[in-house]
Structure formats: C-alpha cells, structure tokens
Amino acid sequence: MGFIAEVHLAHDDLPLVPTIERSSDVTLRYEYGTTHGDRRLQFVSAFGDDYPTLEAAMAADPTVSDPTRIATFDNRVIYRVVVDTDLELIPARCAEHGLFIFTITSDDDGWVTRLHLPDRDALSAFRINCRDRDISFRITQLYDSSVSDDQTYFLTDRQHEILTMAYYAGYFQVPRNATQDDLADRLGVSDSAVSQRLRRAISELIAATLENDRLPAKHG
C-alpha cells in the first residue's frame, strides 16, 4: 500500500545546491549523513568526468566546508563534506510520517528524491515542511505502489524523452546515426544537459535491472 513519488527540491541553501548549479557535467548522489561531535557530515558519490571543476565548486560552496575525497573508482568518486546550512534534504521528523527514501540525486538546480509514502497525508506533511522553509517542492512522478511490488525505480518525463529520442534517432546504433549534439539541437538544450540526462536515465535502467536480478523468482 502507499505511493511512490519523485520530488524535485530546490533552494540555494540546501546542501551542495550551489555546487550542483556550477557543475552541470557531474551528477551527485546522496549516500548518507551522520554527525561527529557538533558537525553534520554528508557523503555523496559523484559521477562524471570533470572532478577538478566539481571540487573547486565544493570549495566555494557556502553550504558545505572541508570537502574531502574519500575514494576513487572507475565510474565514480566519493566525497565527504561538512554541512554548514540549517536546511536538510529530508528533515529527520519526516520519518515520523513513514517516508522511506530510495535515492536522492542532483538535477540541474536542486535535488530529486525518490521515496515511498504510506498515504497522501504523509506527502502533504512533507510538502508543508518544505513550504515552511521556502524550499521549492515539485512532484514530477506519483503512482500507487501497489501497481508493482518490485518496481523501485522509474524514469522522469525528461529521462524518458531523451531515451526515446536517442533510440529512434539511432544514437545507440553501431555506428551511431546521431550524436549528442544532434539530440541537443532537437531538444534546444546544451550538449552537457543531454549527456547528463542520458547518464541518469541509463543509470536508472541499469540499477533497476541489477535490483530485479536479486529479487527471488515468483511462483504462480
């Protein structure tokens, strides 16, 4: 029972939002937060190519301090930052309403969180909590979680659009019949925006495939 929602959150004082706005070629994924003494720590994974630009943006970001590279892998880098803003991505008291977070990832000028809510009252409480803090709250997807008992992902409208366009334009063919520049021209956006949307959409599909592979087989 309940709902699965995707919600876009934006505010200049949310953790790392200034960094997100300055690093359009890198996608951030919130991993977890904790406290150490009187400091709030946040760990994020970064996906992209231009890590020097990302680290410069983090260093200049007033919402965080002491950005530290924790680990480097082929496909991502993990950072730890000290949070210097009072605003929280998901306030702790939202857990009292039964919110469960699947993922929190960066998107253009803010964060997108995919979550499960037990009822519409919980969604309303989350919206009010954001409104009281002047956080922009926009629902981009909402559906009944009983529609599927194993779907913990979905594509946003923009991700679906870019994948559909790329597929039918021949972007995934070998050799390619369309480039990212071609897709950018059709959508009227930058090449970096196309690259980021494609990476996010493909990442969602891969994550869903790997997650479903771990699910036990259903027997009729």
Side-chain angles (χ1 to χ4, degrees):
M1 298 295 292
F3 299 90
I4 292 177
E6 181 181 88
V7 181
H8 181 275
L9 305 172
H11 191 291
D12 288 342
D13 291 334
L14 278 173
L16 289 170
V17 164
T19 292
I20 293 169
E21 293 175 338
R22 296 187 183 103
S23 308
S24 59
D25 290 338
V26 178
T27 297
L28 299 181
R29 182 177 73 201
Y30 173 87
E31 301 296 351
Y32 72 96
T34 187
T35 58
H36 180 71
D38 59 352
R39 301 197 308 170
R40 290 168 52 209
L41 304 178
Q42 182 169 301
F43 292 80
V44 295
S45 290
F47 303 85
D49 301 316
D50 194 357
Y51 294 121
T53 297
L54 171 67
E55 291 171 5
M58 283 183 173
D61 191 329
T63 68
V64 298
S65 60
D66 193 24
T68 303
R69 185 182 288 209
I70 299 299
T72 302
F73 303 97
D74 288 341
N75 66 332
R76 65 168 169 157
V77 175
I78 300 175
Y79 294 93
R80 182 194 66 215
V81 297
V82 177
V83 178
D84 293 330
T85 173
D86 292 333
L87 289 185
E88 300 174 275
L89 285 175
I90 307 294
R93 63 174 168 274
C94 286
E96 299 174 4
H97 298 286
L99 271 69
F100 175 80
I101 307 299
F102 291 121
T103 59
I104 302 177
T105 56
S106 63
D107 182 27
D108 296 336
D109 61 348
W111 292 95
V112 173
T113 177
R114 189 172 66 248
L115 46 82
H116 178 272
L117 308 106
D119 50 44
R120 289 186 179 273
D121 288 341
L123 181 61
S124 177
F126 184 24
R127 180 190 290 112
I128 291 172
N129 190 285
C130 291
R131 184 190 62 194
D132 290 345
R133 287 158 180 75
D134 295 323
I135 297 173
S136 171
F137 181 101
R138 186 176 77 253
I139 298 172
T140 57
Q141 294 281 345
L142 180 66
Y143 62 85
D144 187 341
S145 63
S146 65
V147 170
S148 172
D149 60 0
D150 59 10
Q151 185 182 20
T152 57
Y153 84 100
F154 49 82
L155 298 175
T156 66
D157 290 341
R158 289 195 302 181
Q159 290 169 349
H160 187 276
E161 177 188 38
I162 191 66
L163 278 182
T164 301
M165 180 178 293
Y167 179 80
Y168 287 109
Y171 177 80
F172 297 110
Q173 293 181 6
V174 180
R176 285 178 174 168
N177 291 332
T179 66
Q180 287 189 8
D181 286 338
D182 295 331
L183 301 178
D185 289 341
R186 296 188 187 192
L187 290 172
V189 299
S190 67
D191 178 70
S192 63
V194 167
S195 175
Q196 192 173 116
R197 291 182 195 179
L198 279 172
R199 285 203 308 270
R200 287 174 181 155
I202 294 170
S203 176
E204 287 288 342
L205 295 181
I206 293 173
T209 300
L210 296 178
E211 181 66 25
N212 286 337
D213 284 346
R214 300 206 311 261
L215 293 172
K218 296 180 182 179
H219 301 284

